[in-house]
């Protein structure tokens, strides 16, 4: 199969319309079989649930080309499980896990020419989503939905690749206590737009959100969980009921403990203790692991010892091991690599 003629190395994190997408509709109480289409547009009722009351959720995962030329995805079963969990929270009919994985397989296979080659620094980002398409005007769940999966080849989420970034402590909250922060609802991202536009305008790459109830504990950023490393080499990640359970973070904590033999802690992390950590990174499908060099707290700077030029030593080890597993260079724990072609 001939790959598309793209300059893979210069891709940022943006939308490029690939040849195929998968579409399945929920009508009369059931999901139809669905199938591939080349049409990247939609016609919707002006009164669709997604347009009126933001009834929509999404997932994000990637397809990788391994060193020996296979196309694989990473733990898609966990994306399927998380999407089902989000659906329950938003009164969207769940899609069975098997159907989710089958759709991902079909769309990636059909777009194999768009999967960036091994070593190019790019990957194929896969975006499954479900939205209410039936009309609603009184506040209520829609009766009809669409599940859609498209793909887009992407490079690094943050400009500058894996160079450390600067983030700021946000004055806005990402999620309410007992709200929707633990699920991947589109509305969480709508709520974060004001804060991210403002952060970028002021020269910051991302926002650090604190817990909305006491504003003393670290939660996450707009699109990634935090990992910290203590001066004695323990990997620490915040535990909170209002952060998204990142698949990358759960995988990295396993890698840290079981493969690298490091001490790990998932616990509440007070902002007050952040200045004492040796390393800080953001982790997620899009972010992979993006090292944080500096945190700005209303003009007061916390600068991590590794500086602004390179990742800290343990962050680098975690990055190398995770990407090594995803690209097939390092043996994966059972069930982590899902072969597509
Ligand atoms: N936190 C938020 C708010 C996110 O949007 C994402 C992205 O999916 C993550 C964390 C990272 O999750 P994952 O590693 O499953 O991509
Ligand atoms: C992902 O990492 O897949 C996400 O959904 C994060 C988003 C901010 C791009």
């Amino acid at each position: 199969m001939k790959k598309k003629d793209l300059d893979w190395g210069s891709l940022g994190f943006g939308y490029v319309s690939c040849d195929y997408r998968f579409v399945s509709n929920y009508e009369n109480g059931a999901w139809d079989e669905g199938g591939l289409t080349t049409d990247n547009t939609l016609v919707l009722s002006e009164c669709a649930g997604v347009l009126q009351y933001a009834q929509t959720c999404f997932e994000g995962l990637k397809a990788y080309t391994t060193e020996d030329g296979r196309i694989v995805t990473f733990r898609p079963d966990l994306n399927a499980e998380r999407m089902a969990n989000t659906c329950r929270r938003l009164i969207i009919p769940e899609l069975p896990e098997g159907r989710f994985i089958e759709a991902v397989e079909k769309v990636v296979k059909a777009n194999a020419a768009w999967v960036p080659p091994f070593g190019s620094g790019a990957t194929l980002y896969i975006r499954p989503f479900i939205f209410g398409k039936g009309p609603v005007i009184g506040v209520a769940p829609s009766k009809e939905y669409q599940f859609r999966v498209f793909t887009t080849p992407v490079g690094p989420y943050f400009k500058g690749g894996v160079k450390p970034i600067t983030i700021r402590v946000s004055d806005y909250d990402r999620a309410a206590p007992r709200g929707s922060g633990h699920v991947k609802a589109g509305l969480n991202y709508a709520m974060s737009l004001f804060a991210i536009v403002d952060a970028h305008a002021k020269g910051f790459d991302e926002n650090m959100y604190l817990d909305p109830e006491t504003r003393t504990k670290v939660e996450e950023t707009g699109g990634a969980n935090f990992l910290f490393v203590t001066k004695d080499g323990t990997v620490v990640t915040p535990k909170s009921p209002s952060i998204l359970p990142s698949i990358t973070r759960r995988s990295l904590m396993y890698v840290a403990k079981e493969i690298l033999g490091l001490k790990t802690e998932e616990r509440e992390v007070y902002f007050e203790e952040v200045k004492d950590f040796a390393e800080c990174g953001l982790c997620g499908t899009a972010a992979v692991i993006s090292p944080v060099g500096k945190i700005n707290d209303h003009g007061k700077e916390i600068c991590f010892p590794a500086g602004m030029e390179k990742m800290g030593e343990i962050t680098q080890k975690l990055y190398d091991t995770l990407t090594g597993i995803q690209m097939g260079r390092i043996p994966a724990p059972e069930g982590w690599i899902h072969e597509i072609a």
Side-chain angles (χ1 to χ4, degrees):
M1 172 260 320
K2 195 176 159 342
K3 291 283 177 189
K4 296 284 170 183
D5 185 20
L6 291 186
D7 182 4
W8 306 104
S10 66
L11 287 172
F13 197 87
Y15 173 69
V16 176
S17 177
C18 296
D19 295 329
Y20 295 97
R21 59 277 301 130
F22 182 90
V23 181
S24 169
N25 289 297
Y26 182 94
E27 284 165 21
N28 303 315
W31 286 106
D32 70 11
E33 199 182 326
L36 294 170
T37 171
T38 55
D39 190 354
N40 63 3
T41 63
L42 287 162
V43 176
L44 270 187
S45 161
E46 63 188 358
C47 204
V50 58
L51 299 178
Q52 299 309 322
Y53 302 123
Q55 197 189 15
T56 180
C57 66
F58 70 100
E59 272 301 322
L61 66 163
K62 283 174 170 172
Y64 309 84
T65 304
T66 60
E67 200 157 12
D68 59 2
R70 290 170 298 134
I71 295 177
V72 302
T73 55
F74 184 70
R75 310 187 78 178
D77 52 317
L78 297 188
N79 293 96
E81 180 187 271
R82 190 170 62 190
M83 182 168 245
N85 197 33
T86 305
C87 284
R88 285 191 287 276
R89 181 65 177 81
L90 297 180
I91 318 285
I92 292 175
E94 279 172 50
L95 187 80
E97 177 178 318
R99 299 289 306 282
F100 178 100
I101 292 178
E102 203 182 302
V104 166
E105 283 172 353
K106 280 191 176 150
V107 80
V108 172
K109 245 186 217 165
N111 290 311
W114 295 91
V115 184
F118 176 78
S120 64
T123 50
L124 189 74
Y125 186 72
I126 307 163
R127 171 55 61 86
F129 60 111
I130 304 182
F131 58 90
K133 64 172 190 168
V136 283
I137 193 68
V139 176
S142 178
K143 287 192 172 59
E144 295 165 352
Y145 296 84
Q146 184 166 113
F147 167 63
R148 219 173 157 93
V149 187
F150 68 76
T151 60
T152 176
V154 296
Y157 190 67
F158 295 106
K159 281 194 223 71
V162 290
K163 277 234 168 156
I165 57 171
T166 301
I167 63 175
R168 66 141 188 215
V169 176
S170 175
D171 285 331
Y172 300 94
D173 295 326
R174 189 189 82 91
R178 297 165 291 280
S180 59
H182 61 299
V183 296
K184 217 158 161 54
L187 63 95
N188 293 340
Y189 300 81
M191 292 296 287
S192 75
L193 294 175
F194 189 91
I196 194 65
V197 168
D198 187 57
H200 286 162
K202 294 184 170 130
F204 302 108
D205 298 292
E206 250 291 6
N207 287 295
M208 169 187 264
Y209 292 103
L210 301 178
D211 76 287
E213 199 145 32
T214 70
R215 310 204 92 250
T216 58
K217 290 174 272 187
V218 176
E219 293 253 299
E220 60 174 326
T221 64
N225 283 180
F226 276 104
L227 285 183
F228 298 99
V229 182
T230 63
K231 287 183 181 133
D232 62 359
T234 301
V235 181
V236 180
T237 194
K239 187 182 170 92
S240 156
S242 47
I243 66 178
L244 191 77
S246 158
I247 294 161
T248 315
R249 182 255 297 166
R250 286 181 269 164
S251 305
L252 284 166
M253 293 302 275
Y254 181 93
V255 164
K257 187 160 186 257
E258 305 297 336
I259 301 183
L260 300 176
L262 299 168
K263 241 182 91 188
T264 58
E265 290 174 2
E266 185 183 355
R267 60 166 172 86
E268 290 184 332
V269 173
Y270 284 86
F271 181 68
E272 207 22 60
E273 61 181 303
V274 168
K275 62 180 184 333
D276 300 323
F277 288 121
E279 299 177 32
C280 172
L282 307 183
C283 63
T285 299
V288 193
I289 308 182
S290 301
V292 175
K294 212 189 277 183
I295 300 175
N296 188 302
D297 174 24
H298 302 89
K300 231 170 57 201
E301 287 189 338
I302 296 172
C303 298
F304 292 99
M308 297 301 294
E309 283 309 308
K310 58 177 181 49
M311 287 194 197
E313 192 188 331
I314 289 181
T315 306
Q316 184 75 55
K317 272 192 197 158
L318 288 167
Y319 179 91
D320 291 344
T321 312
L322 180 73
T323 55
I325 289 170
Q326 291 167 334
M327 308 284 175
R329 271 184 283 112
I330 296 175
E334 179 75 29
W336 281 23
I337 295 300
H338 185 84
E339 195 155 326
I340 290 197

